[in-house]
Amino acid sequence: MQSFLLFSPEVAAARAAGKPIVALESTIISHGMPYPQNVHTAREVEQVIRDAGAVPATIAIIGGKICVGLSEDQLETLGSSPDAIKVSRRDLPYVLAQARLGATTVAATMICAELAGIEVFVTGGIGGVHRGAETSFDISADLQELAQTSVAVVCAGVKSILDIGLTLEYLETHGVPVLAVGQPGFPAFFTRDSGFKADFQLDSPEEQAAFIRTKWQLGLKGGVVVSNPVPAESAMAPDEIDAIIHQALGEAQQQAVTGKQVTPFLLARIKELTGGRSLATNIALVKHNALVGARLAVALHHKAA
Ligand code: PSU
Ligand code: MN
């Protein structure tokens, strides 16, 4: 079989030396944050992971290859190209075969991480069941991916642009465990409390690693959501963010935004409507997730499969 994987020198060296590696997605860079803060944040997040004793592997589709680990130039190109394609499971063969520039979502990054033998993946927020999904059928492919692909995903929960309750129900149906770090509740990205509980609170990387190893050793394929709340000092006020999300959702409906455009539209509007404050929260929570993910990768590394 042809290998589509292309490892950066740093990631190749980590593989050869058997070091813990943490995957990072790229849609958050191309469609989740504005340039140049996106590129700056991507670099900082990588450094947080290095400082915690693991090796970062940002994943993107470039030149017909799944690039695992990006150079400075590749990161810059991805972050500044308006035509980078948002790549989920469905889009992966198209973007590879056509050698287009692609930024991977949570779903596609999980697929690529598993192909590359990487067990831990850090992001900001995962996709989920959209509000009104009973008529729109809009459920992120991220959830199906979590059901079948064996990668632990560290995130700050899901934004309330989604129906958080239905997202958790969907994950339960598909047997995807939702862990919480440092609190019993499932976080809502910009805020620490969604009003819903996670399945299991596991605070230490060792406990999280033991849980994840046990699941996979049982032959229970699929992902694990490791939800890590935004640090309190960077969280937004629930009333403020709720009002803004409400407005953004109304505009999306008014402008008949559909399909893969929905999530990027909402993210961009939220950023504008908060005057950039949501961006500061977003950056803080991704960095915090990077720390938790790196520690988890180190702990998993000590518990060989
Ligand atoms: N949620 C966020 N930030 C993001 C995304 C989601 O808070 O950047 C991105 C991720 O890449 C996620 C994707 O996998 O959006 C989900 O898109 P959709 O809802 O179209 O499946
Ligand atoms: Mn969708």
Side-chain angles (χ1 to χ4, degrees), residues 86 128 130 137-141 162 258-263:
K86 175 181 165 188
H130 281 257
F137 273 40
D138 192 352
I139 299 175
S140 174
L162 302 170
T258 55
K260 69 193 281 190
Q261 274 82 41
V262 172
T263 298

Side-chain angles (χ1 to χ4, degrees), residues 25 27-28 32 86 105-106 125 130 140-142 159 189 263 267:
E25 66 153 310
T27 294
I28 189 176
K86 175 181 165 188
T105 62
V106 168
H130 281 257
S140 174
D142 292 353
K159 290 196 173 84
F189 196 89
T263 298
L267 298 180

Side-chain angles (χ1 to χ4, degrees), residues 25-33 86-88 90 103-109 121 123-130 138-143 157-159 161-162 189-190 259-264 267 270 282 285-286:
E25 66 153 310
S26 44
T27 294
I28 189 176
I29 302 172
S30 67
H31 292 71
M33 288 184 192
K86 175 181 165 188
V87 180
S88 194
R90 166 194 68 183
T104 50
T105 62
V106 168
T109 307
F121 160 33
T123 186
I126 57 172
V129 179
H130 281 257
D138 192 352
I139 299 175
S140 174
D142 292 353
L143 299 186
V158 301
K159 290 196 173 84
I161 57 171
L162 302 170
F189 196 89
F190 294 119
K260 69 193 281 190
Q261 274 82 41
V262 172
T263 298
L267 298 180
I270 289 169
N282 202 341
L285 67 84
V286 177

